Amino acid sequence: MANDQHSENSQPSGISRRDWMRWSASSVAAAVAVGSQATRSQTAEAAKDQETQDKAGPVAKNNRIKQSLVNWCYNKAWPDVDEYCNVAVRLGCQSIELIDPKHWPTLKKHGLTCAISGSHGFQTGFNNRDEWDECLARLRERIRQCKEFGVKSVITFTGMANGLSKEDGAKNCVEGLKKIAGDAEKNDVTVCLEMLNTRDDSHPMKGHPGYQGDHCDYCIDILKEVGSSHVKLLFDIYHVQIMDGDVIRRIREHKDWLGHIHTAGNPGRAELDDVQEINYPAVMKALLDVGYTGYVGQEFIPTRDPWDGLAEAVALCDV
């Protein structure tokens, strides 16, 4: 292409080199000017949108439901924690949860809290006695940190079945959770056992095949045996809908054991929009009806603009 007079880098025929250089320089300058003007226009438009949002106030207006953002879902969209906190504030959320404790001071700076702390992962848990030491050590460390910072909850899991029967897994969970219940009560931190679905195998965070605590009643029976006011259920509406359904009835039946709530659209663990099956306003009203005063964490995997999806979800749950 070096000899092609119409190639991108060649000099057109019939034009002197001096004129060509002048023309090239002016063209570049014009392109830069146009690009700068477009950038300024985009920046101005973004600033105008931001100003409009600021005047309108936070997305959540009623705030009868305390809402939270689950960190792993949205931190890629807003990797800067300060910017992420600003997003939470603009949405009217009061928390960013399951975020590393090193970021808790930044949350506090923005008037936010961490509604629930992470601990050990879901692949380990109290159903396996060999994993007790790991779970207890991590939970005790987190409970101490929660006490210091004012975080009120920490997550825990049954763990994977790995050949254990449901009965043996439940027995081990009861015995293991009793070992941490005293620490939780002493420090006024609630340990929340999460129920997860085992049906969806399409994505490592949409379902968890092999997880032992995959039914609501199974987890509730464990909690009743533990018998502590500070060991409760992380009621994930998405997971409950997949495995058991009857979400509102279960909220009413298990109201005394609700420690924390998570959301997502089903099927797909995507936005809380009109192509998924859960009636979120009705579910939120049921939570208010039973006197739930804890947090509701938005935990969907974005399939489109994260801000748009979150604004929609927050407004929908702001009953």
Side-chain angles (χ1 to χ4, degrees):
M1 294 292 290
N3 295 322
D4 184 347
Q5 66 179 19
H6 300 296
S7 69
E8 186 175 310
N9 298 315
S10 63
Q11 174 184 331
S13 60
I15 299 179
S16 70
R17 180 173 180 80
R18 179 176 295 176
D19 289 341
W20 164 243
M21 294 297 290
R22 289 174 179 168
W23 180 84
S24 297
S26 62
S27 297
V28 169
V32 169
V34 170
S36 298
Q37 184 177 359
T39 300
R40 286 196 298 271
S41 177
Q42 291 169 356
T43 301
E45 189 66 29
K48 185 177 179 181
D49 290 344
Q50 179 67 61
E51 184 180 357
T52 301
Q53 288 176 1
D54 290 343
K55 287 181 179 178
V59 172
K61 306 294 186 185
N62 298 319
N63 294 309
R64 296 200 298 163
I65 295 289
K66 296 189 297 186
Q67 299 193 52
S68 175
L69 305 182
V70 181
N71 183 55
W72 70 266
C73 302
Y74 318 113
N75 61 357
K76 289 182 180 178
W78 296 288
D80 180 84
V81 179
D82 278 297
E83 182 185 4
Y84 192 11
C85 289
N86 286 329
V87 168
V89 171
R90 285 166 56 202
L91 287 166
C93 294
Q94 300 175 35
S95 156
I96 296 175
E97 64 185 69
L98 301 181
I99 190 170
D100 194 299
K102 70 183 181 182
H103 297 304
W104 292 356
T106 303
L107 268 60
K108 189 173 185 178
K109 182 178 70 174
H110 290 270
L112 302 172
T113 188
C114 176
I116 187 167
S117 169
S119 63
H120 58 94
F122 67 83
Q123 293 186 337
T124 57
F126 284 104
N127 66 338
N128 190 328
R129 289 174 175 268
D130 292 339
E131 295 170 353
W132 280 6
D133 288 347
E134 178 183 351
C135 294
L136 289 169
R138 183 62 63 87
L139 282 166
R140 284 171 178 148
E141 177 189 20
R142 284 290 186 264
I143 287 172
R144 177 185 59 78
Q145 292 171 318
C146 287
K147 176 68 173 179
E148 291 175 358
F149 190 77
V151 172
K152 302 305 293 183
S153 300
V154 61
I155 198 169
T156 193
F157 303 93
T158 65
M160 309 302 278
N162 293 325
L164 280 169
S165 69
K166 285 280 192 180
E167 293 75 14
D168 288 341
K171 181 180 177 181
N172 291 343
C173 279
V174 170
E175 191 174 342
L177 286 168
K178 282 184 175 180
K179 294 180 179 294
I180 199 64
D183 295 83
E185 293 165 4
K186 177 182 175 182
N187 291 282
D188 193 23
V189 174
T190 300
V191 175
C192 295
L193 176 67
E194 184 165 21
M195 173 248 169
L196 302 173
N197 92 79
T198 52
R199 292 190 66 193
D200 192 329
D201 62 358
S202 67
H203 183 283
M205 292 305 289
K206 292 182 180 181
H208 308 283
Y211 185 76
Q212 191 136 53
D214 62 347
H215 285 282
C216 191
D217 291 344
Y218 179 81
C219 292
I220 290 292
D221 286 345
I222 289 171
L223 298 175
K224 288 179 177 178
E225 286 294 317
V226 175
S228 170
S229 61
H230 285 70
V231 182
K232 294 190 174 184
L233 181 70
L234 198 167
F235 188 98
D236 189 305
I237 297 165
Y238 162 78
H239 290 300
V240 173
Q241 172 69 3
I242 291 174
M243 297 302 298
D244 299 314
D246 213 6
V247 171
I248 290 177
R249 189 193 307 270
R250 293 181 189 282
I251 285 173
R252 290 172 178 159
E253 288 179 346
H254 304 314
K255 58 185 175 62
D256 294 334
W257 299 99
L258 301 178
H260 194 73
I261 307 292
H262 278 165
T263 74
N266 186 60
R269 198 170 196 168
E271 289 84 0
L272 279 57
D273 54 25
D274 58 4
V275 298
Q276 61 88 38
E277 65 191 11
I278 304 172
N279 184 351
Y280 270 99
V283 174
M284 295 300 113
K285 288 174 184 175
L287 288 170
L288 292 175
D289 287 345
V290 301
Y292 178 74
T293 58
Y295 284 86
V296 172
Q298 299 288 356
E299 196 184 24
F300 64 84
I301 300 173
T303 62
R304 45 188 169 85
D305 182 87
W307 168 264
D308 290 344
L310 280 169
E312 179 182 37
V314 167
L316 198 65
C317 292
D318 185 42
V319 295

